[in-house]
Amino acid sequence: MDVLVTGAAGYVGSVVSEQLLAGGHRVIALDNLGQGHRAALGPEVDFIQVDLCDAPRLDDIFSGRNIDAVMHLAALSIVPHSVSNPEEYFQTNVIGGLNLLNSMLKNNVTRLVFSSSASVYGIPESIPVTEDSPQIPIHPYGECKVMFERILKWYGEAYGLNSISLRYFNAAGATSLHGEHHQPETHLIPNVLKVPLGKVDHVTIFANDYETEDGTCVRDYVHVIDIADAHLKALNAIAGAGTKAYNLGSGTGYSNLQVVRMVEQVSGVSVPVVFESRRAGDPPVLVASSDLAGKELGWVPQYGLEEIVQSAWQWQSKFLDGYSD
Ligand code: UFG
């Protein structure tokens, strides 16, 4: 299939593009390179630098091509920035996304896989989180994901759009080619890895006074390869799907301190920890039930935390400064 991927030069987008190509699909890669890296895409990819807020350009891109399906991963995604700057987040993540949908429909493209997030649930009432849990986001980033999923539902009913939203829990890990290079880096695993890489002398952990076993937050880490695999499975299921949403998690939670211990085990280097106060917007525990994705998409994650950390460690050691551009 000819698949247009937005945010293709980003962390998850680059791995999704890698797997699409490996699966024999053609990738039309869109990115504004605000956070993404041109070097994260191979030369075989048809790359177009464009911002989703540029609606006329999007129309041109769609009208000149035969596109079978769209994978929409482009988004601003730094939670604390979304709190201080909601305008930018709603503009890019909601209005930009609407421009994309409208260009798709004008050109009879009716298949969309959307990169959603566990943040739609806010602070969940019960664990593991199922897809029918209440959606009460606690920051504008999560609100954008909820709003866009609701738009998908109404566009499905009115215009026949088929969409599958994939609610990622904590994407982590790397392939041999593609890994995580954010500026600034806010995620736990790459920040802990900075210690064995010799970039910093300790990791800051945001609080140890939560009501969890060791007092630190608990998260459900999913290998980015498994996440990309879910996108391909969603693509296979998208024809006639209507509007669907699936959690992507492993069903197992690890505390921040357990992640630190895993990095120590994998790297062989001890990691000093400094505790700071709680980070705004952090739910204490986020663990998914992904039974629905297993049942309906045939998706079962293949990798655990050790393989996730191992792959991230290998990638970060090889590309010490991340991507060159
Ligand atoms: N953490 C630290 N120190 C760091 C970085 C993170 O202690 O240097 C802690 C966080 O406070 C949190 C845990 O590690 O307790 C995980 O934090 P991440 O930033 O790695 O991931 P989040 O769970 O905050 O965020 C992820 C996605 C978001 C998504 C969110 C859903 O990255 O895009 O899950 O709640 F919105």
Side-chain angles (χ1 to χ4, degrees):
M1 282 197 226
D2 283 10
V3 183
L4 183 143
V5 180
T6 75
Y11 169 44
V12 180
S14 64
V15 180
V16 166
S17 300
E18 184 186 332
Q19 282 198 15
L20 282 169
L21 291 169
H25 299 284
R26 214 166 75 80
V27 172
I28 301 108
L30 269 52
D31 205 295
N32 68 0
L33 298 183
Q35 283 288 313
H37 305 275
R38 180 63 187 90
L41 292 168
E44 68 278 32
V45 170
D46 177 6
F47 175 68
I48 303 164
Q49 184 170 355
V50 61
D51 195 296
L52 297 186
C53 292
D54 188 348
R57 270 282 318 277
L58 283 179
D59 284 343
D60 285 349
I61 290 165
F62 275 92
S63 62
R65 289 174 175 79
N66 269 329
I67 290 162
D68 298 303
V70 172
M71 295 200 177
H72 176 36
L73 293 92
L76 295 174
S77 62
I78 300 175
V79 169
H81 288 181
S82 81
V83 176
S84 54
N85 196 358
E87 185 268 339
E88 209 184 322
Y89 276 70
F90 289 119
Q91 192 68 40
T92 298
N93 295 3
V94 181
I95 308 290
L98 262 179
N99 291 339
L100 176 73
L101 295 183
N102 294 337
S103 289
M104 285 173 61
L105 293 171
K106 273 188 223 165
N107 291 280
N108 302 314
V109 181
T110 57
R111 297 168 178 183
L112 178 81
V113 179
F114 172 55
S115 159
S116 189
S117 162
S119 61
V120 298
Y121 301 114
I123 298 178
E125 281 170 5
S126 59
I127 299 291
V129 185
T130 52
E131 285 81 355
D132 55 4
S133 302
Q135 297 186 13
I136 311 169
I138 54 170
H139 41 67
Y141 170 75
E143 190 74 65
C144 290
K145 295 292 183 188
V146 172
M147 288 169 83
F148 200 70
E149 282 199 29
R150 298 221 165 114
I151 290 169
L152 293 179
K153 171 186 168 293
W154 295 113
Y155 269 46
E157 288 188 14
Y159 309 127
L161 180 72
N162 291 297
S163 70
I164 296 184
S165 296
L166 299 174
R167 297 176 183 156
Y168 316 163
F169 280 62
N170 286 65
T175 69
S176 57
L177 296 174
H178 299 116
E180 204 165 351
H181 177 182
H182 295 114
Q183 198 58 267
E185 187 51 79
T186 59
H187 295 110
L188 181 63
I189 292 177
N191 277 347
V192 183
L193 284 170
K194 285 180 185 166
V195 178
L197 288 169
K199 294 182 173 184
V200 296
D201 61 10
H202 70 271
V203 64
T204 298
I205 295 295
F206 298 114
N208 58 351
D209 61 354
Y210 287 95
E211 282 183 25
T212 59
E213 210 158 295
D214 62 21
T216 65
C217 289
V218 170
R219 293 289 180 273
D220 182 343
Y221 293 89
V222 199
H223 202 303
V224 68
I225 292 177
D226 282 322
I227 290 201
D229 176 52
H231 286 73
L232 272 82
K233 290 193 158 64
L235 186 64
N236 286 336
I238 191 80
T243 307
K244 295 272 173 59
Y246 300 102
N247 288 343
L248 298 184
S250 71
T252 305
Y254 292 93
S255 75
N256 295 343
L257 283 178
Q258 285 176 311
V259 170
V260 172
R261 299 297 160 246
M262 184 58 81
V263 168
E264 291 181 322
Q265 183 188 313
V266 164
S267 67
V269 177
S270 92
V271 176
V273 168
V274 171
F275 291 106
E276 280 192 9
S277 51
R278 293 184 178 197
R279 188 173 74 173
D282 269 345
V285 180
L286 263 181
V287 179
S289 160
S290 299
D291 292 353
L292 196 62
K295 203 167 122 210
E296 296 190 3
L297 296 180
W299 181 79
V300 179
Q302 301 297 306
Y303 301 104
L305 184 66
E306 184 169 355
E307 289 146 315
I308 289 171
V309 170
Q310 188 82 48
S311 67
W313 167 237
Q314 277 163 2
W315 192 83
Q316 303 277 354
S317 306
K318 192 163 146 198
F319 302 97
L320 267 181
D321 297 315
Y323 292 110
S324 54
D325 65 3

